[in-house]
């Protein structure tokens, strides 16, 4: 595949300039780092904070504005760090607090902002609060910080309600009393090692406000809030009324998700964020039934952004994609919040593999599909996403065109939901395989030569490494670098909600973005399996595949996107 080079060079100091921009978050490109899979500095096979710190120049050169770090807190790692035992400590597998401080400082020196994951819905069962509650037994006020309940049945042998875990099985686990007899049950919407906090308790709210301040004082620029829709449960914890496993993205409200009481919490957090200089932000991971429900999380006195999972879940089809784009933009306008766009993250199959398979299979897919087709669509999807108004999220390795690893052996899998029946599909390990940096043999620069990696890397990843793709104008890495440079340089791109749809052939999306000064960028995307002829309105700025032109028209190959620039 080839691409037309970007027409405007990115200034050498552009990252630093970006870090000083007002309302930077409205059009930021934010790159997710999954710490255990990014870079390993000490050769133990697990990525760490010093490894991330050493690779920050790659992210600066890529052209992103901020880095979101998945959890690196002290944790037993029952769910890859989303089971936090101490929110103010770094897990030794990732480094130390000093390492975190140095990483934040280096990122700022490079013009990059740092967003850290916050996990407020649940803690680890090793958290001192939960351990104290177990030790003190029923009736202890410490149990009010979590959801402890007596069981149903003659001897309390049945769970308190019919809720089920997102990871499969009951959402309740029974405890043993201090004397060894069967005791109360506790709620965990995810793994049993992740007991849910009771957010009606004032000590829980005070504790997390203190945690926010702890990290804000260390210089972080914001928080990605895990399960932001799940903190508050319906009063009385009523039954769901059915026994299908809970899914993060439902079709309607449930007693355990998207309760209106969460918004009071985020209004309090917004005041804390606004009290610090530099525009610190909150980002909601809120799986809601509709984009309009998502907009409730980003009202002017709440959080700044919310992930757009409706867009992530869209198939590679022109009609559904345009519908989701319109609904997303329409939902955010009344609350004056930026729309966000995301194609991949650590919980879903990489989009290069999703798009390699037929539509309708969901966001966790077990088959590799047609990899050439998947990569071609993934490249086009990236240009479409980066041309849309608002903020975009990238997941580590997508700039290399990495597919999901769909053939991991059962014995190497570590996703907790893989080992529980009836929950999520449990194939998230495939998108978490450590990324390749250099060399021709594993671990491909992820760690020291010949060292291990916590999940095995495919042999074919040697040709997908950063080293292998750098300088190759046909590579996916150089496509990302060029597109991000043009996105930053072109005045029509960014936060302004200035999208105008244009007539286009069946299966093609075309829209203009126009700057106040008249500069225009047109994005044209062929989502069909055959070449199409479209107007060529100006200079070809960039394309995901080779485009031919003649007499004011251009031929877009199948599954190809192009950007055109004009003035006036």
């Amino acid at each position: 595949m080839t691409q037309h080079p970007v027409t405007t060079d990115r200034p050498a100091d552009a990252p630093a300039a970006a870090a000083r921009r007002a309302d930077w978050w409205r059009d930021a490109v934010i790159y997710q780092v999954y710490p255990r899979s990014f870079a390993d500095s000490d050769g133990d096979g697990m990525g760490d904070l010093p490894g991330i710190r050493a690779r920050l120049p790659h992210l600066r050169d890529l052209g992103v504005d901020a880095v979101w770090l998945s959890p690196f807190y002290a944790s037993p790692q029952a769910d890859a760090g989303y089971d936090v035992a101490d929110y103010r400590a770094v897990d030794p597998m990732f480094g130390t607090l000093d390492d975190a401080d140095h990483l934040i400082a280096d990122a700022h020196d490079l013009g990059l902002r740092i967003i850290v994951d916050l996990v407020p819905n649940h803690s680890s069962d090793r958290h001192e609060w939960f351990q104290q509650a177990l030790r003190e037994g029923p009736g202890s006020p410490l149990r009010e910080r979590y959801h402890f309940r007596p069981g149903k049945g003659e001897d309390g042998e049945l769970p308190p309600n019919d809720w089920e875990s997102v990871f499969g099985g009951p959402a309740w686990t029974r405890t043993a009393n201090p004397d060894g007899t069967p005791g109360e049950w506790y709620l965990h919407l995810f793994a049993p090692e992740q007991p849910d906090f009771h957010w009606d308790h004032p000590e829980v709210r005070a504790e997390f406000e203190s945690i926010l301040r702890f990290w804000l004082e260390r210089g972080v620029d914001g928080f990605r809030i895990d399960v932001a829709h799940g903190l508050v449960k319906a009063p009385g914890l009523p039954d769901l009324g059915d026994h299908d496993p809970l899914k993060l993205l439902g079709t309607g409200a449930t007693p355990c998700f998207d309760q209106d009481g969460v918004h009071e919490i985020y209004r309090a957090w917004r005041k804390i964020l606004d009290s610090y200089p530099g525009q610190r932000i909150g980002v909601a991971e809120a799986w809601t039934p509709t984009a309009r429900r998502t907009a409730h999380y980003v009202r002017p006195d709440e959080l700044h952004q919310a992930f757009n999972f409706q867009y992530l879940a869209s198939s590679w089809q022109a009609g559904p994609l345009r519908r989701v784009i319109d609904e997303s933009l329409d939902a955010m306008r009344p609350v004056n919040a930026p729309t966000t766009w995301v194609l991949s993250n650590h919980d879903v199959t990489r989009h290069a593999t999703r798009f390699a398979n037929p539509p309708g299979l969901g966001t966790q897919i077990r088959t590799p599909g047609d990899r050439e087709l998947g990569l071609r669509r993934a490249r086009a999807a990236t240009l479409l996403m980066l041309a849309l108004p608002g903020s975009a999220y990238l997941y580590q390795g997508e700039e290399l065109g990495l597919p999901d690893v769909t053939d991991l052996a059962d014995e190497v899998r570590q996703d907790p939901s893989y080992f529980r029946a009836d929950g999520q599909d449990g194939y998230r390990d495939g998108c978490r395989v450590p990324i390749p940096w250099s060399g021709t043999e594993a671990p491909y620069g992820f760690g020291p030569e010949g060292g291990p990696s916590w999940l095995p890397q495919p042999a074919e990843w040697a040709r997908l490494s950063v080293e292998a793709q750098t300088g190759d104008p046909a590579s996916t890495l150089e496509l990302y670098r060029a597109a991000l440079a043009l996105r930053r340089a072109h005045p029509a791109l960014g936060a302004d909600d200035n999208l105008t749809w244009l007539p286009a052939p069946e299966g093609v999306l075309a829209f203009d973005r126009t700057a106040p000064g008249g500069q225009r960028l047109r994005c044209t995307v062929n989502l069909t399996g055959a070449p199409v002829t479209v107007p060529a309105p100006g200079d070809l700025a960039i394309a995901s595949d080779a485009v031919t032109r003649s007499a004011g028209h251009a031929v877009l190959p199948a599954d190809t996107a192009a950007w055109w620039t004009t003035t006036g």
Side-chain angles (χ1 to χ4, degrees), residues 40-59:
D40 171 19
S41 70
D42 58 11
D44 65 355
M46 192 70 65
D48 48 44
L49 298 185
I52 298 169
R53 183 184 176 196
R55 296 294 189 179
L56 287 174
H58 166 72
L59 302 181

Side-chain angles (χ1 to χ4, degrees), residues 7 63 73 162 218 350:
T7 56
Y73 309 111
D162 67 353
R218 302 194 91 87
R350 289 182 178 275

Side-chain angles (χ1 to χ4, degrees), residues 462-480:
R463 62 181 177 81
L464 299 178
S465 72
V466 174
E467 179 183 65
Q469 296 194 44
T470 294
D472 178 0
S475 72
T476 300
L477 175 58
E478 294 298 348
L479 175 72
Y480 270 73

Side-chain angles (χ1 to χ4, degrees), residues 515-526:
Q519 303 95 329
R520 181 180 298 114
L521 184 138
R522 179 169 299 179
C523 178
T524 310
V525 189
N526 177 12

Side-chain angles (χ1 to χ4, degrees), residues 187-245:
L187 175 68
H188 52 86
L189 291 180
F190 294 86
E193 298 88 350
Q194 296 169 294
D196 280 38
F197 284 114
H198 186 192
W199 271 88
D200 289 341
H201 198 291
E203 290 181 11
V204 174
R205 299 195 180 206
E207 170 67 358
F208 273 90
E209 290 181 4
S210 174
I211 292 166
L212 288 176
R213 295 185 185 279
F214 177 86
W215 288 104
L216 290 167
E217 294 290 344
R218 302 194 91 87
V220 304
D221 299 286
F223 301 90
R224 176 265 190 186
I225 301 160
D226 185 62
V227 196
H229 59 305
L231 278 56
V232 173
K233 280 68 175 176
L237 308 183
D239 283 348
L240 278 169
D242 63 57
H243 297 281
D244 290 334

Side-chain angles (χ1 to χ4, degrees), residues 304 370 556:
H304 298 74
D370 182 336
L556 290 184

Side-chain angles (χ1 to χ4, degrees), residues 77-122:
Q77 303 296 318
D79 185 24
Y82 284 92
D83 51 317
V84 180
D86 186 343
Y87 291 85
R88 297 178 181 84
V90 173
D91 195 286
M93 76 184 332
F94 296 127
T96 66
L97 269 178
D98 282 345
D99 291 328
D101 290 340
H102 289 310
L103 191 160
I104 294 167
D106 283 5
H108 288 168
D109 287 344
L110 293 171
L112 298 168
R113 296 180 186 257
I114 293 291
I115 296 170
V116 298
D117 232 310
L118 187 66
V119 188
N121 179 70
H122 47 261

Side-chain angles (χ1 to χ4, degrees), residues 255-405:
C256 41
F257 286 139
D258 198 27
Q259 294 290 307
D260 289 337
V262 299
H263 300 291
E264 177 186 348
I265 297 167
Y266 300 134
R267 283 190 287 270
W269 288 12
R270 179 60 179 261
K271 292 178 182 177
I272 294 173
L273 293 169
D274 287 348
S275 72
Y276 284 81
Q279 294 194 317
R280 317 295 179 94
I281 71 168
V283 182
E285 184 214 26
W287 292 84
T288 64
T290 66
R292 293 193 181 278
R293 287 294 297 181
T294 302
H296 292 176
Y297 291 79
V298 289
R299 288 175 285 203
D301 60 346
E302 295 191 39
L303 301 174
H304 298 74
Q305 292 184 352
F307 287 153
N308 186 349
F309 291 114
Q310 286 79 18
Y311 184 75
L312 182 150
S314 296
S315 60
W316 185 247
Q317 296 173 299
L321 264 176
R322 175 168 174 172
R323 185 162 52 251
V324 168
I325 291 169
D326 284 339
E327 290 174 353
S328 300
L329 293 170
D330 289 346
M332 296 300 146
R333 288 186 185 109
V335 295
N336 192 31
T339 306
T340 64
W341 314 101
V342 60
L343 292 167
S344 288
N345 64 34
H346 67 288
D347 279 332
V348 301
T349 299
R350 289 182 178 275
H351 61 280
T353 297
R354 297 202 314 274
F355 292 155
N357 281 273
L361 298 182
T363 58
Q364 286 200 7
I365 297 175
R366 307 179 189 183
T367 56
D370 182 336
R371 288 191 169 176
E372 182 179 350
L373 173 66
L375 179 60
R376 188 165 68 243
R377 289 175 170 177
R379 288 163 58 97
T382 295
L383 290 190
L384 169 60
M385 177 179 75
L386 293 177
L388 294 170
S391 179
Y393 281 78
L394 310 179
Y395 178 52
Q396 65 177 43
E398 73 170 75
E399 76 274 22
L400 306 177
L402 296 184
D404 239 59
V405 181

